[in-house]
Amino acid sequence: MGHYYTLDGDACHTQATKAGAKNKTRATTVSDARKQKLLPSVTTVFDVLNKPFLVEWQIKEALKVAYSRPPIGEETEDEWISYTREKASEQVNAAADLGTNVHKAIEMALNTQEWAQELKSYVLPTLDIVRSMAIKEQASESVTVNSEIGYAGCVDLSGWMQDKESMVEIPTVPVIVDFKTKKTKVGEKIDVNETYPWQLAAYHVSKFGKGQREVHPLAKAALVFISSTEPGRVEVKWFDRTELEHAWECFKAAHKLWCLRNNYVLTNR
């Protein structure tokens, strides 16, 4: 299961179920993707990888629940484990929901649409950061399809910046920006998951790269971290062309592994 797109860039994350089924849709599978010639999303490609940051976070959430509520009375081990898993899952899902809502609010704000004001402690500082980047021809939440390599994805923000070194006033630097909500602690540095720059590179090559196979000569990209635990804390991590080239090689290796493991071949590319 995962997120998939058509070659035209339409999201195809779910499939219709048969008449009479309990649910009207189900998640799209790799089998569906092979049959319908769908493209995996960049994040779906990462499903082949172990994600230490994510696993550690999930384990920590489970341990918090376990510590706060030990077994009660004659509760069996299996019952207690089931309870702990369920409650930990609720915490993980709540964090994911907040991230989704913040992303949506930022998208709507960038498009001058009404957005959820209760999220202003996350949105307003982020908008200040984005404005300081002076990105021209901004595109928010745009789908990019790389039919050459065989993947797709939704880009949080893209556009063009001025090359300050050349002093050319016309924006010539293509940039990709990705927003990440993350739990932080006061005074502690924000750790960057190793796949984050891979994701940036994949989007960059797809959107701006020559033949959708190479990193643009002036490529730049940024991760904008939005703290979910310290409202108002927003930090930016920039990546230059050299870093993006390395990240691109890493993504291509992950993509090849995903294709081999899932017996996936896009025959029309």
Side-chain angles (χ1 to χ4, degrees):
M1 295 185 290
H3 285 176
Y4 297 88
Y5 294 84
T6 68
L7 286 165
D8 293 327
D10 296 324
C12 193
H13 308 328
T14 60
Q15 302 285 316
T17 54
K18 296 180 180 179
K22 181 179 180 180
N23 299 312
K24 293 184 178 179
T25 62
R26 60 172 177 77
T28 298
T29 64
V30 174
S31 178
D32 297 320
R34 285 195 293 263
K35 294 175 182 176
Q36 300 172 34
K37 298 181 180 179
L38 302 176
L39 300 175
S41 70
V42 171
T43 52
T44 293
V45 167
F46 295 152
D47 286 346
V48 298
L49 305 173
N50 179 36
K51 304 181 181 72
F53 280 82
L54 178 60
V55 173
E56 183 180 351
W57 174 52
Q58 291 173 332
I59 290 174
K60 187 176 291 185
E61 290 302 317
L63 290 174
K64 287 179 182 178
V65 175
Y67 181 80
S68 65
R69 210 286 252 162
I72 298 174
E74 297 181 357
E75 185 177 31
T76 67
E77 180 180 277
D78 286 344
E79 289 172 339
W80 180 73
I81 289 175
S82 178
Y83 169 86
T84 302
R85 278 180 172 167
E86 182 180 346
K87 291 300 178 181
S89 180
E90 289 177 4
Q91 296 297 320
V92 171
N93 291 336
D97 289 343
L98 175 61
T100 298
N101 292 336
V102 170
H103 268 72
K104 185 62 178 178
I106 293 171
E107 175 196 356
M108 297 180 74
L110 289 172
N111 291 322
T112 64
Q113 298 174 319
E114 292 187 8
W115 50 277
Q117 292 297 305
E118 63 269 22
L119 298 174
K120 64 182 180 181
S121 60
Y122 307 108
V123 177
L124 294 181
T126 305
L127 293 180
D128 288 340
I129 291 290
V130 171
R131 292 190 187 102
S132 70
M133 295 177 179
I135 300 173
K136 307 299 181 182
E137 300 179 39
Q138 290 187 15
S140 176
E141 294 294 323
S142 61
V143 174
T144 182
V145 173
N146 190 322
S147 56
E148 288 297 310
I149 303 298
Y151 65 87
C154 189
V155 183
D156 288 347
L157 182 65
S158 63
W160 297 83
M161 298 175 64
Q162 182 180 345
D163 184 0
K164 296 181 179 178
E165 293 184 4
S166 69
M167 301 303 292
V168 176
E169 293 185 5
I170 300 174
T172 58
V173 178
V175 61
I176 293 288
V177 179
D178 196 68
F179 304 113
K180 301 290 186 186
T181 54
K182 195 175 184 71
K183 287 186 176 182
T184 61
K185 292 184 178 180
V186 177
E188 289 190 5
K189 180 182 176 182
I190 297 177
D191 292 322
V192 180
N193 187 321
E194 68 174 351
T195 61
Y196 287 172
W198 303 4
Q199 183 179 11
L200 290 173
Y203 291 157
H204 214 298
V205 170
S206 181
K207 206 165 182 69
F208 300 113
K210 181 180 178 181
Q212 293 192 310
R213 289 182 176 273
E214 301 175 14
V215 178
H216 190 283
L218 297 177
K220 289 191 72 173
L223 289 170
V224 177
F225 290 106
I226 306 163
S227 175
S228 61
T229 49
E230 297 178 76
R233 182 179 178 182
V234 179
E235 296 183 14
V236 182
K237 167 65 176 175
W238 284 99
F239 297 86
D240 60 23
R241 183 181 183 237
T242 300
E243 293 169 308
L244 290 172
E245 283 181 329
H246 178 265
W248 173 236
E249 292 302 318
C250 291
F251 174 77
K252 284 193 294 183
H255 180 269
K256 184 173 183 179
L257 176 59
W258 187 91
C259 290
L260 289 171
R261 180 175 288 181
N262 291 292
N263 193 28
Y264 177 90
V265 179
L266 186 62
T267 56
N268 57 341
R269 76 171 186 265

